[in-house]
Amino acid sequence: MDYKALVDQYKDQLIDDLKGLLAIESVRGETTEEAPVGEGPLAALNYMMTIGERDGMTTKSVDNLAGHIEHGSGDKIFGVLGHVDVVPVSADGWDTPPFEPTIKDGYLIARGVQDDKGPMMAAYYAVKILKDQGVDFNQRLRLIIGTDEESNWECTRAYFDSEAMPDAGFAPDAAFPLIHGEKGISTFNLVQNVDEENVEAAPVTLIDFNSGSAYNVVPDAAIARLQTEDVEDIKMKFEQFIADNDVKGNVGINGNLELKVSGKSAHGSTPKEGVHAGHILLKFLSELSLDGRGQHFVDVMNRFVVDNLDGSQMDIFSTHEEMGETTVNSGIIKYDAIDGGHVGVNYRYPFGVDFDQTIDRLKKTLDQEQFRIEDASGMPPHYVEKDDPLIKVLVDSYRNHVDDPREPFTIGGGTYARTLDKGVAFGAMFEDSLDTMHQKNERMKIDELLRVTTIYLEALHRIVTSDEI
Ligand SMILES: [Zn+2]
C-alpha cells in the first residue's frame, strides 16, 4: 500500500472535515444535564459521531461525555484515544480568530489544531482510508473521543465505566517517536503539629513565611517576615548571605523585617531545572535563633525539604532503568506563627514504587519530628515494556516516514495514554515541530498533518493485519 499517495488523495476532504471541527468552540463551559462539560465539547463530540456515521462506521456516544467510532470485527479491540475539547483562548493576541480556521503560509491556524483535533482527525482518516481500501481487519479498531481531557478527565472515567478496555492502544496527544512510560504523579501535604510546648520566645520571631502557590511549579519567590529588636544585625547578615551565595534578594522594613529571595521557576516534574527561592530563604533562616515554633519549622524544613529534589532526604528515593529517579517538588511552603508550617509536595515516582508503603514510611519518620502527612493522593505510574510488539510496530511505522533515530522515551508528566491499560503516547509532535499547544496562534503545518496521517495509516494497517497485537 502506498500510504503517502493514498493520504494525498484525501487531503482536501481531510482539511475540510478538520476545519469543521476546529470551528466549534469546544472549551469546557456551563454544565447542563444534557451537556455535562458544556455545549461546546458536546457539539464537537456529535460532529465526530456524524462524520463516522456519514462514512458508514459504527458509532456510540457515552453519557454525552465521550464516544467511539468503530470499524472491523473480532474479539480484540485496538483503541486510539484522542480528545476534542480545547483550552480557553485569551481575549487578545491572536492574529486570526481562534475559531475561524485559517490557512496561511502552509499552516492551518486555529485553537486545538495541535492539541488535539488535528492529530485526532489524522487518526480518523487513517481508519477511513483503510475501510475505503477494503482492508480485512482482524480486530475492531476503535477511535475513542473524549471531551474533558483539558480539565478533569470525566470523559474517560465515564467511558471506561461502561465500555470495554481496549486490548492495546495509543493516544495521538503528545510527541513522536513514542512515550512508553509516565511516572506516578502524587501530591501530599506536610503539616506541622502545633502545640503549646514549642512557643518559647527568642530574640527573633518568625511571623510568617510564604513561597509558591502550586504543587507542580518550582517557586521563584519567597518572603519571610521577622519581628526583632536586632533589625540592623539581621539585615547585615542577610545582605552578607546574599552576596556569599550569589542569590537575588532584598530586605525591607515595613513595621517588621521583610526578607525576600528570588529564584527560577520550572515545572514540578523537573525540579532540578529551577532554583527554589523558598529553599534559599530557609537556609538563611537556619542561621538565626528563632522562637520555638519558628525554629522547629525551619529545622525540619532544612533537614527534610531544602534541596530535597529527588526524595533522598525523606527516604522516598527510588530509581528505574528506563523511567529515571523520583522527583520531589515542594511547590508550596507556608508558615505562620499561629497555624504553623505547611508544605505542599508534588512527588513523581517510577514504576516499582509502592506509593502507600512509601507514604506510611514517611509518616513514621515525620511523626518523630512533630509533623504529619495529609491529603496524599495521586495517579500510579504507567508503563509498557519497550520491547513490546506494539512499540516496535509503531516506531517502525514512524521511521518509515521520518528520518529520526531517537528511541521511545519516558516522561515525568502525564498524557491521555495513561487511561488505557496498555497504551502509549504516539505523536503527533515531530522533533522540529513548533510547539504552539495551549498558546495563541496555535498552528500546524499542513505537510505535518499529512505526514501524521500517513504514519497512523501505516501503523494501523499493520496492527489490524498483525497476529501479534
Ligand atoms: Zn491534549
Side-chain angles (χ1 to χ4, degrees):
M1 203 181 273
D2 186 344
Y3 301 112
K4 189 173 177 309
L6 270 169
V7 168
D8 281 338
Q9 289 172 28
Y10 283 83
K11 177 181 170 183
D12 293 342
Q13 239 184 302
L14 164 61
I15 291 173
D16 277 352
D17 279 345
L18 177 54
K19 277 177 149 180
L21 181 61
L22 290 166
I24 301 168
E25 194 169 339
S26 50
V27 177
R28 188 179 167 118
E30 205 182 311
T31 298
T32 65
E33 208 172 313
E34 166 83 5
V37 291
E39 296 293 339
L42 177 60
L45 174 66
N46 290 339
Y47 178 90
M48 289 305 298
M49 297 287 109
T50 306
I51 284 184
E53 281 154 28
R54 175 197 72 191
D55 294 337
M57 294 193 227
T58 309
T59 64
K60 182 170 184 183
S61 182
V62 177
D63 299 345
N64 279 353
L65 273 169
H68 68 238
I69 301 175
E70 182 177 279
H71 186 65
S73 58
D75 294 336
K76 283 205 297 184
I77 301 172
F78 188 85
V80 177
L81 172 65
H83 64 93
V84 289
D85 58 312
V86 297
V87 292
V89 292
S90 53
D92 58 322
W94 281 73
D95 298 332
T96 55
F99 296 101
E100 286 175 29
T102 309
I103 293 176
K104 213 172 105 187
D105 303 328
Y107 281 92
L108 180 52
I109 309 161
R111 165 60 82 228
V113 67
Q114 273 188 323
D115 182 13
D116 183 39
K117 290 173 172 176
M120 265 269 321
M121 194 59 84
Y124 175 75
Y125 264 78
V127 184
K128 173 177 162 66
I129 293 171
L130 291 174
K131 176 177 178 290
D132 290 355
Q133 289 294 304
V135 171
D136 219 355
F137 284 33
N138 67 8
Q139 56 185 301
R140 285 179 282 164
L141 184 53
R142 229 175 227 193
L143 186 67
I144 302 167
I145 300 151
T147 62
D148 190 36
E149 193 274 344
E150 300 294 1
S151 302
N152 301 332
W153 294 17
E154 277 182 46
C155 47
T156 36
R157 260 197 305 279
Y159 182 84
F160 290 119
D161 268 354
S162 66
E163 296 301 308
M165 176 58 68
D167 297 273
F170 70 80
D173 192 24
F176 289 119
L178 186 146
I179 299 166
H180 68 106
E182 304 172 17
K183 281 181 184 163
I185 305 176
S186 70
T187 57
F188 54 85
N189 300 318
L190 311 179
V191 184
Q192 183 178 16
N193 294 341
V194 173
D195 55 38
E196 295 308 312
E197 281 167 33
N198 56 1
V199 286
E200 9 17 299
V204 188
T205 300
L206 179 60
I207 302 170
D208 53 29
F209 180 97
N210 273 293
S211 183
S213 58
Y215 287 89
N216 61 354
V217 180
V218 177
D220 64 357
I223 178 167
R225 291 194 303 152
L226 305 171
Q227 192 177 49
T228 176
E229 301 287 311
D230 309 324
V231 170
E232 282 310 314
D233 180 43
I234 294 177
K235 187 166 181 262
M236 232 169 56
K237 271 191 186 150
F238 185 63
E239 279 161 354
Q240 189 63 46
F241 174 85
I242 287 175
D244 290 349
N245 293 282
D246 196 20
V247 166
K248 275 188 240 151
N250 60 68
V251 192
I253 299 168
N254 181 8
N256 300 301
L257 190 60
E258 247 179 32
L259 309 179
K260 287 185 191 171
V261 167
S262 308
K264 186 178 145 226
S265 190
H267 192 260
S269 62
T270 52
K272 285 180 183 168
E273 285 173 21
V275 178
H276 196 305
H279 291 182
I280 298 171
L281 188 49
L282 283 162
K283 272 185 223 173
F284 172 72
L285 293 178
S286 73
E287 293 179 6
L288 305 179
S289 201
L290 299 172
D291 64 285
R293 187 168 289 163
Q295 190 71 51
H296 172 227
F297 167 69
V298 169
D299 284 349
V300 172
M301 290 303 104
N302 274 280
R303 279 170 50 212
F304 293 97
V305 174
V306 171
D307 291 339
N308 182 14
L309 307 183
D310 64 11
S312 334
Q313 281 147 268
M314 290 177 181
D315 195 22
I316 57 173
F317 173 82
S318 178
T319 186
H320 178 273
E321 199 184 341
E322 299 277 354
M323 304 184 80
E325 300 177 344
T326 41
T327 59
V328 169
N329 182 47
S330 37
I332 304 163
I333 307 181
K334 290 195 299 196
Y335 172 89
D336 76 64
I338 293 159
D339 297 327
H342 172 117
V343 183
V345 177
N346 182 205
Y347 173 58
R348 295 171 189 246
Y349 55 97
F351 196 64
V353 171
D354 184 321
F355 181 66
D356 292 339
Q357 268 181 22
T358 302
I359 288 294
D360 275 350
R361 202 169 62 240
L362 184 57
K363 262 184 188 156
K364 283 186 191 125
T365 311
L366 288 172
D367 202 40
Q368 294 162 18
E369 307 294 339
Q370 302 303 314
F371 265 69
R372 60 189 188 276
I373 293 187
E374 288 182 354
D375 305 318
S377 70
M379 298 189 284
H382 182 71
Y383 187 68
V384 178
E385 294 287 345
K386 204 173 160 184
D387 55 10
D388 194 281
L390 168 68
I391 293 184
K392 188 174 164 9
V393 165
L394 294 178
V395 173
D396 275 0
S397 303
Y398 167 71
R399 288 194 183 138
N400 283 343
H401 302 281
V402 183
D403 180 20
D404 177 4
R406 285 179 305 152
E407 290 292 310
F409 57 103
T410 66
I411 57 170
T415 82
Y416 221 16
R418 70 164 65 226
T419 59
L420 297 169
D421 281 356
K422 181 181 175 183
V424 295
F426 181 52
M429 294 279 286
F430 295 99
E431 194 175 16
D432 59 356
S433 299
L434 188 68
D435 184 355
T436 57
M437 291 189 192
H438 296 202
Q439 296 168 42
K440 64 179 182 177
N441 300 322
E442 184 173 348
R443 58 202 179 276
M444 185 179 198
K445 268 188 193 153
I446 303 269
D447 283 351
E448 278 187 17
L449 176 67
L450 300 178
R451 204 172 350 140
V452 172
T453 312
T454 308
I455 293 165
Y456 290 164
L457 176 59
E458 170 161 354
L460 292 175
H461 183 216
R462 290 170 67 170
I463 285 164
V464 297
T465 53
S466 153
D467 296 328
E468 274 192 301
I469 298 166

